[in-house]
Amino acid sequence: MLSRLLEKLSYGLIVVAMLVMSGLYFAQVIFRYLLERPLAWAGEVSVLAMLWLTFVGSAVLVRNEGFVSVALLRPEGRVKTLTSIVLDVIVVAILAVLIWYGAVLALDAREEVLPASGLSRGLVYLAIFSGALVMLLCFVEKIVLSIKKLTGA
Amino acid sequence: MTGLAELGMLAIFLIVTLSGMPIAFVLIALSLLYILISGDIPLAIAVQRMAAGLNSEALLALPFFFLAAEVMKSGGITRKLIDFAGALVGSLPGGLALIVALSSAIFAAMTGSALATVAAIGTLMFPAMVAAGYSKAFAAAVVAAASIMGPIIPPSGALILYGITGNVSVGKLLMAGVLPGLLMCIGLIGYIVLYAKMKGLARGEKKTFAEIRRSFVAAVPSLMMPVLVLGGIYGGIVTVTEAAVVSVFYALALNLFYREFGWRESIDILYRSGAASAGLFLIIAGGAIVSWIVAREQLPQAILEASLTLSSEPMVIFLVVFGFLLVLGCLMDNVPAIVILAPILSSLAVGLGYDPVHFGFVVVYTLLIGLLTPPLGMALFVTAGVAKIDVLTLSRAVIPFLLVYILIGVALMLVPQITLFLPEVMHGR
């Protein structure tokens, strides 16, 4: 199962990103106030980790339905499955747009560098590209499962 | 575009949204459609705005405060707070409910989330209240109502979010929450005492001064947390994000000291707070495109002009906004509501001549009341889950508390000094 693997990947990424963010930012506080030698790049790298956390990490929300929504209409049975297929297809289309433009921008910006850390600015858009790709795969699997449920296979 | 086409589009979006499409994707879809229809904007702008919307060190404060809340709600720290609150108010009528109110307020000063407050205080105190003969509905209502102080007394995820998306000083907004939070705590205590006297609820035994002192000393390491966080922000020594990350490591140090959890659980905590942040940030990213469009279309000015035709009296408009947000808070989670509305409302505030900190705080306060109302009040759902009672029963029991909060909301609106006193003193330094 591809999506199980992707989910493990995003699980790992979430944990690592949280560690990097809090560890680096705490180090920055220590360096600024106790050692009086600010680590300017630490804030920048923390924000970058936050971007990766957002886009790739959101993939885990697909299967456990962790996204915030305003579901006031609550259809039952087959209508519910049908509705969720329609909504998921719309989301897949949106994600395809993000993948395409994420890739375009990542390629455009790959030579630019972030001011404090010297990392490539392409990494910013690469996060959107990769995250949208992982989410798209998870949504496609969800759609396939819903169709199977609908046809009773 | 004709008016009819716009209405049709709006109807489709409404149906899609109400059928349960994740809000983050609704926002992105709406923006992509706008860009496609406008014809002269490249689609890449959408992706650029998403990245730009998240490019902020201030936002890091949110996952840090989530993480700190996850660390703190597991055991030791919370139990010592409850013991201390018990020594202070346990012997009054309705003592156990008063403990919930007081310890939730203190916990609220350490974390910024209502749900963490329910999880920490509610899971420990609800069984105790039921065992002492409280009705399940009342006990659960107290837990749910008290949890709303979580995101009002600083630190507060909702206020940080409003400050960043509405471009209002986060530090001042947080300080604005202190006195209203105290007012809520006093309101809760007042109502509980009244109710307890009417129903003849049990009191706990009176504690001696030595016992109070002992419980205070045991709680001091936990009580230092709000002192550290609020003191740091108030004194302008650290940024909100720095205070947040320090609170994570302080909570970790305390838990190490109390020997609360091991590796396995630490990873779980990192994951839970990270996944919650990811969902939140995706909404912020989507909201960033929408707010770019809102600014491009000069929507705030249009809304300001339209509202001035309604009445030339700013207070009337403020009241209309208050009523609108009360209803919206029932129908919508506060995060997307804040992300979408903060940019519009904070410029409306300035246009009407209100202080953006005062106006912004009242906006967030009003939306947070929605956590206590059906059909989508998260505090109700989580508390009903903890208490294993029906959401409808709980929402009926919560009504008196809601009335207290709405009254306080009106007071906050009419008397700006309640919110502005501390931020102004802080600013004067």
Side-chain angles (χ1 to χ4, degrees), chain B residues 213-239:
Chain B
R213 201 181 54 198
R214 204 174 313 126
S215 71
F216 173 71
V217 170
V220 160
S222 308
L223 292 172
M224 277 308 289
M225 178 79 127
V227 173
L228 204 77
V229 172
L230 293 188
I233 299 171
Y234 182 82
I237 306 163
V238 293
T239 66

Side-chain angles (χ1 to χ4, degrees), chain B residues 140-344:
Chain B
V142 171
V143 169
S147 75
I148 304 300
M149 288 184 288
I152 286 172
I153 299 177
S156 154
L159 288 170
I160 293 173
L161 198 58
Y162 185 93
I164 295 171
T165 51
N167 204 11
V168 181
S169 157
V170 173
K172 284 188 191 176
L173 273 174
L174 288 179
M175 279 305 143
V178 176
L179 295 180
L182 280 179
L183 215 55
M184 288 170 86
C185 188
I186 293 169
L188 272 182
I189 288 176
Y191 174 73
I192 291 168
V193 170
L194 214 69
Y195 179 94
K197 283 210 160 141
M198 265 162 33
K199 300 269 168 172
L201 291 181
R203 311 166 170 237
E205 54 186 290
K206 195 145 180 76
K207 296 279 195 280
T208 64
F209 183 71
E211 282 169 311
I212 295 177
R213 201 181 54 198
R214 204 174 313 126
S215 71
F216 173 71
V217 170
V220 160
S222 308
L223 292 172
M224 277 308 289
M225 178 79 127
V227 173
L228 204 77
V229 172
L230 293 188
I233 299 171
Y234 182 82
I237 306 163
V238 293
T239 66
V240 175
T241 309
E242 287 167 347
V245 79
V246 168
S247 81
V248 171
F249 281 83
Y250 186 72
L252 266 180
L254 281 188
N255 267 327
L256 233 62
F257 180 70
Y258 295 139
R259 293 177 198 287
E260 281 297 334
F261 48 76
W263 281 112
R264 185 66 241 171
E265 207 176 341
S266 312
I267 290 180
D268 253 14
I269 285 174
L270 281 169
Y271 168 72
R272 275 204 303 272
S273 42
S277 313
L280 174 70
F281 287 151
L282 204 61
I283 296 175
I284 298 177
I289 331 175
V290 173
S291 66
W292 179 79
I293 293 171
V294 162
R296 189 176 186 273
E297 289 284 320
Q298 303 190 316
L299 213 56
Q301 291 89 322
I303 289 176
L304 178 63
E305 279 162 26
S307 62
L308 285 175
T309 60
L310 194 72
S311 162
S312 57
E313 191 58 53
M315 181 47 82
V316 175
I317 299 169
F318 200 174
L319 267 169
V320 172
V321 171
F322 182 73
F324 167 72
L325 293 175
L326 268 182
V327 176
L328 189 76
C330 299
L331 301 177
M332 200 170 181
D333 186 69
N334 62 79
V335 168
I338 291 171
V339 168
I340 299 165
L341 292 177
I344 299 175

Side-chain angles (χ1 to χ4, degrees), chain B residues 14 19 30 42 44 63 75 93-94 161 291 294 302 305 337 356 362 377 381-382 394 401:
Chain B
L14 215 58
S19 312
L30 203 60
L161 198 58
S291 66
V294 162
E305 279 162 26
V362 175
F381 284 102
V382 175
L394 175 56
F401 295 99

